[in-house]
Amino acid sequence: SRVWIHSYSDYTPPSLPIPERPLFTFLESAAGWMPKRPATIFYNQKLSYRQLNDKVNQFAHVLHGKGVRPGDRVFIVLPNMPQMVIAIYATLKIGGVVVMPNPDGDDVSIMRQVEQTQPKVMITIEVFARLAQSINEATQLNQFIFTDIQSVVSSRVFKMLMEQWGSIKAQPEEEATVKAIGERMGVLMQEVPTDPLPATAVGGSDLAAILFTSGTTGEPKGVCLTHRNLVANTLQARH
């Protein structure tokens, strides 16, 4: 009755066993058996799997120091950049829950999603400092970590991106807000050990992420995904 199986390649199994392991162990495995292979490429700037895992461990220490414990939410408002990958996996490694708003959401929508999920920390880009300040004033969230694109690309690429986008460099008032209400991700990670924190018991049924989505219409809803959901998706994509 599953007629779609006839379209599978010879090497694609019709079903898969889903292991009871948290998602971040795939990164650790990759860092162990192909440490020098590129994990991220961002405008020709590469991070190998070992480098990525080391940075994830460092930032996991940072988040743990901010009081993030299993089940706590970490609100991530970042474009597709290496720091986003680092923040996601660091949150998962310590048993936290990644919360990601709709990237097209306006300030009011994002504020509502903060209120719904009650995150312990927000991680965002410096040019969103005004949004972070509004959230700080209107909600109980008071821990903010900022990052920027300039720190992960060459000066030539950054100049090119400025010409294309024009709004990726924080203005003086935004820099002042960053200093007033938050800290910079790169500074927090300086001289932090790359060894992992003691293992946190994270099971397949534990919540891994809340992703806000609404399709093209309607109020965005937080879609809850467990580690098992994401592990299944990873293995399906692999095969």
Side-chain angles (χ1 to χ4, degrees):
S1 60
R2 296 187 292 171
V3 295
W4 57 86
I5 293 176
H6 300 307
S7 300
Y8 285 12
S9 72
D10 293 339
Y11 303 101
T12 303
S15 62
L16 293 168
I18 308 302
E20 287 295 324
R21 57 187 288 194
L23 183 69
F24 59 81
T25 59
F26 286 91
L27 173 60
E28 294 171 340
S29 296
W33 64 270
M34 52 181 189
K36 296 182 180 180
R37 287 279 296 276
T40 68
I41 304 174
F42 188 69
Y43 291 99
N44 294 322
Q45 301 296 312
K46 298 179 181 179
L47 281 178
S48 69
Y49 278 102
R50 176 185 289 165
Q51 290 171 326
L52 176 60
N53 192 53
D54 285 349
K55 290 182 179 295
V56 166
N57 286 339
Q58 287 180 305
F59 198 54
H61 280 279
V62 171
L63 292 178
H64 190 268
K66 295 291 182 185
V68 178
R69 297 295 183 266
D72 286 340
R73 276 66 165 155
V74 175
F75 203 80
I76 301 175
V77 187
L78 290 173
N80 290 333
M81 58 194 297
Q83 295 98 317
M84 182 184 73
V85 182
I86 292 166
I88 289 172
Y89 276 98
T91 300
L92 297 178
K93 275 203 177 193
I94 56 176
V97 179
V98 173
V99 181
M100 301 190 76
N102 187 328
D104 295 326
D106 56 23
D107 290 8
V108 173
S109 177
I110 291 176
M111 192 95 64
R112 188 180 303 116
Q113 291 160 22
V114 168
E115 294 171 345
Q116 289 173 352
T117 57
Q118 297 291 303
K120 184 71 68 79
V121 180
M122 176 176 173
I123 305 164
T124 190
I125 197 165
E126 290 182 3
V127 294
F128 290 167
R130 183 183 59 81
L131 169 62
Q133 185 175 31
S134 298
I135 291 172
N136 185 41
E137 293 170 352
T139 73
Q140 296 183 355
L141 179 57
N142 59 14
Q143 294 195 93
F144 299 89
I145 298 175
F146 295 91
T147 189
D148 64 280
I149 293 177
Q150 188 171 6
S151 62
V152 291
V153 297
S154 67
S155 57
R156 179 187 62 81
V157 168
F158 187 72
K159 182 179 179 181
M160 177 196 72
L161 294 177
M162 284 284 288
E163 292 172 351
Q164 290 180 357
W165 300 340
S167 60
I168 59 173
K169 182 175 176 62
Q171 300 303 306
E173 60 271 20
E174 292 166 336
E175 292 179 351
T177 299
V178 170
K179 292 179 181 179
I181 67 170
E183 299 172 274
R184 287 183 167 85
M185 185 174 179
V187 174
L188 290 171
M189 292 172 64
Q190 288 178 357
E191 300 182 7
V192 175
T194 59
D195 57 303
L197 285 160
T200 300
V202 180
S205 61
D206 289 335
L207 191 59
I210 302 174
L211 309 181
F212 279 89
T213 179
S214 59
T216 56
T217 61
E219 179 68 22
K221 300 172 181 64
V223 177
C224 296
L225 298 173
T226 66
H227 281 267
R228 182 177 173 83
N229 292 149
L230 295 172
V231 166
N233 181 238
T234 299
L235 294 176
Q236 289 167 341
R238 174 191 177 193
H239 284 280

